Amino acid sequence: MNIVLFGPPGAGKGTQADMLIQKYHIPHLSTGNIFRAAIKNETELGLKVKSILDEGGLVEDQLTVDLVAEELAFARYNSGAIFDGFPRTVFQAESLDKLLAKKDARIDFVFSLEVPKEELIRRILSRGQGRTDDTEEGIHNRLEVYNKETAPVLAYYKEKGLVHDIDGIGTVEEIFGRIAGFLH
Ligand code: ADP
């Protein structure tokens, strides 16, 4: 099963991904986590993308898609993945469809976590993970990029009838219950 967790920065995608992994044992594919690990390990990729992440911009589409293609080649993804932070542009969404089609697979569910902007900012500022992009300016940039580049991805999936809107306000368990309700 392939699931896309969709929503603006701070919507709780990572948290819900963790809950889904625990319950359904589907591997997590977070492009943000991959980029942060590369930066931490000072790999070639990390050096290339560090300033982009710090500024809240988007890493170039083809680079991101190639990275996901490489990742999806691992056998652990043979029965599916939870995509978190990807796709972030319509190009990425189209590329993902092609990658999955090669494996005779497809996106089964898109869960769109809905959280008002004020709450997103509050959550990001209070998560205190010390991420270098979690500054007022970084958040502002990421929300702007989200509205411009990423929001159209939702329309792309809506047209395919794959989207379930999830109220992203409540306890972690409540929100998970809303998602899991579609998976039985
Ligand atoms: P959040 O959703 O909290 O902003 P992520 O961990 O998903 O955080 O992403 C952090 C940063 O990594 C983004 O602001 C962006 O710079 C980069 N990034 C992550 N995923 C992608 C992607 N699919 N395409 C381009 N850039 C990405």
Side-chain angles (χ1 to χ4, degrees), residues 68-133:
V68 170
E70 256 173 54
E71 185 70 19
L72 281 179
F74 289 110
R76 65 174 173 279
Y77 296 105
N78 280 354
S79 55
I82 298 165
F83 295 95
D84 160 11
F86 179 90
R88 250 178 163 91
T89 64
V90 172
F91 177 87
Q92 293 180 12
E94 289 169 347
S95 305
L96 179 59
D97 282 346
K98 288 180 199 152
L99 287 173
L100 292 175
K102 276 192 221 155
K103 299 167 89 152
D104 202 22
R106 67 211 56 77
I107 297 296
D108 300 291
F109 295 94
V110 177
F111 295 113
S112 173
L113 290 167
E114 320 238 290
V115 177
K117 188 176 169 200
E118 304 70 49
E119 173 68 9
L120 296 173
I121 295 172
R122 197 192 62 74
R123 285 186 189 177
I124 296 173
L125 287 176
S126 67
R127 73 180 162 197
Q129 291 177 340
R131 269 175 53 173
T132 49
D133 56 347

Side-chain angles (χ1 to χ4, degrees), residues 3 26 29 34 40 44 61 72 81 94-95 116 118 133 135 141 158 165 171-172 183:
I3 297 174
I26 308 169
L29 201 165
I34 295 172
K40 190 163 162 248
E44 201 179 317
D61 270 341
L72 281 179
E94 289 169 347
S95 305
E118 304 70 49
D133 56 347
T135 58
N141 285 344
K158 279 208 165 138
D165 292 329
T171 65
V172 169
L183 298 176

Side-chain angles (χ1 to χ4, degrees), residues 8-19:
K13 301 183 293 284
T15 307
Q16 293 302 323
D18 289 342
M19 306 273 292

Side-chain angles (χ1 to χ4, degrees), residues 1-25:
M1 187 160 48
N2 288 287
I3 297 174
V4 172
L5 281 176
F6 190 87
K13 301 183 293 284
T15 307
Q16 293 302 323
D18 289 342
M19 306 273 292
L20 283 165
I21 297 158
Q22 274 193 24
K23 179 148 183 193
Y24 299 101
H25 309 287

Side-chain angles (χ1 to χ4, degrees), residues 26-80:
I26 308 169
H28 185 198
L29 201 165
S30 158
T31 41
N33 286 353
I34 295 172
F35 290 136
R36 277 187 292 277
I39 291 170
K40 190 163 162 248
N41 296 326
E42 298 182 341
T43 65
E44 201 179 317
L45 172 71
L47 295 174
K48 214 169 183 174
V49 302
K50 184 178 183 337
S51 61
I52 301 171
L53 263 81
D54 282 347
E55 285 160 16
L58 286 189
V59 175
E60 198 217 325
D61 270 341
Q62 196 60 56
L63 180 67
T64 307
V65 168
D66 290 347
L67 185 87
V68 170
E70 256 173 54
E71 185 70 19
L72 281 179
F74 289 110
R76 65 174 173 279
Y77 296 105
N78 280 354
S79 55

